[in-house]
C-alpha cells in the first residue's frame, strides 16, 4: 500500500519508469543496437537516468534540490529522444518501433518541466512566508 508521499504516486515517476522500461526493451530486441556497445550503453544510461534523477531528487526532501534533479532528468530525456531517433537513422529499429517511446517522451517532458516549476514556486512561496515571519 502506498502512502501519499511515496514516489510511486508521482505522475512523473510513473511516466519516467514506463519510458525507461520501453527504451530498454527496444534496445534488447535490436541485435544491431546490442552489437554497437557504445550506442547501447549511452541510450540505456540516458533512459535510466530519467527516473533515477527523479528518485534522487525526491529523496533529498528539499523542493529546490528536487527541482534541480528534475532538470537533470529532463536533460537525460532529451538525450534519450535524440538517440532513439539515431537508432532509426542507423536502422537499428523501424520508426514505428520508436514511435511509442518518442510519444511518451513528448508527454513526459512537459510533465517534468511542469512539476519542476511547481516545486520552485512552492519553494519561493515558503521563502516569502519565512521572510514575512522574520520581519514581525
Amino acid at each position: 500500500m502506498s502512502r501519499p508521499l511515496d514516489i510511486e504516486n508521482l505522475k512523473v515517476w510513473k511516466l519516467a519508469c514506463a519510458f525507461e522500461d520501453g527504451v530498454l526493451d527496444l534496445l534488447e530486441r535490436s541485435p544491431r543496437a546490442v552489437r554497437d556497445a557504445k550506442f547501447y550503453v549511452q541510450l540505456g544510461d540516458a533512459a535510466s537516468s530519467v527516473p533515477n534523477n527523479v528518485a534522487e531528487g525526491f529523496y533529498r526532501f528539499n523542493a529546490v534540490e528536487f527541482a534541480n534533479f528534475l532538470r537533470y532528468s529532463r536533460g537525460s530525456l532529451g538525450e534519450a529522444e535524440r538517440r532513439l531517433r539515431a537508432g532509426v537513422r542507423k536502422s537499428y529499429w523501424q520508426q514505428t518501433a520508436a514511435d511509442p517511446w518518442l510519444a511518451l517522451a513528448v508527454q513526459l517532458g512537459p510533465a517534468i518541466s511542469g512539476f519542476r516549476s511547481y516545486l520552485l514556486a512552492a519553494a519561493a512561496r515558503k521563502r516569502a512566508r519565512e521572510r514575512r515571519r522574520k520581519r514581525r
Side-chain angles (χ1 to χ4, degrees):
M1 183 167 125
S2 63
R3 299 176 310 260
L5 293 177
D6 280 348
I7 194 169
E8 290 87 5
N9 292 328
L10 295 178
K11 178 182 177 181
V12 295
W13 171 255
K14 293 174 187 177
L15 293 173
C17 288
F19 179 79
E20 176 190 31
D21 292 346
V23 170
L24 294 179
D25 183 59
L26 179 63
L27 274 170
E28 289 297 320
R29 291 186 287 115
S30 173
R32 293 190 67 205
V34 171
R35 284 193 300 273
D36 183 345
K38 186 175 181 181
F39 176 86
Y40 180 88
V41 168
Q42 288 174 334
L43 177 53
D45 285 351
S48 294
S49 184
V50 178
N52 289 348
N53 279 304
V54 173
E56 186 164 352
F58 179 85
Y59 290 108
R60 297 278 177 146
F61 302 110
N62 176 291
V64 174
E65 286 188 70
F66 193 176
N68 196 41
F69 278 92
L70 289 174
R71 186 170 56 88
Y72 301 147
S73 183
R74 183 65 182 92
S76 294
L77 179 64
E79 179 186 354
E81 285 181 79
R82 193 203 67 74
R83 292 187 189 284
L84 280 170
R85 289 185 179 88
V88 173
R89 284 194 317 277
K90 294 178 178 199
S91 299
Y92 291 170
W93 45 73
Q94 297 294 314
Q95 181 68 50
T96 55
D99 282 344
W101 314 118
L102 291 169
L104 184 55
V106 167
Q107 183 182 6
L108 178 54
I112 292 170
S113 297
F115 188 46
R116 183 174 184 274
S117 294
Y118 165 79
L119 289 171
L120 290 173
R125 286 190 303 272
K126 181 180 177 184
R127 284 192 304 273
R129 280 192 308 272
E130 289 169 356
R131 280 193 299 271
R132 283 191 301 270
R133 241 183 281 140
K134 287 181 181 179
R135 284 188 223 148
R136 293 181 189 165

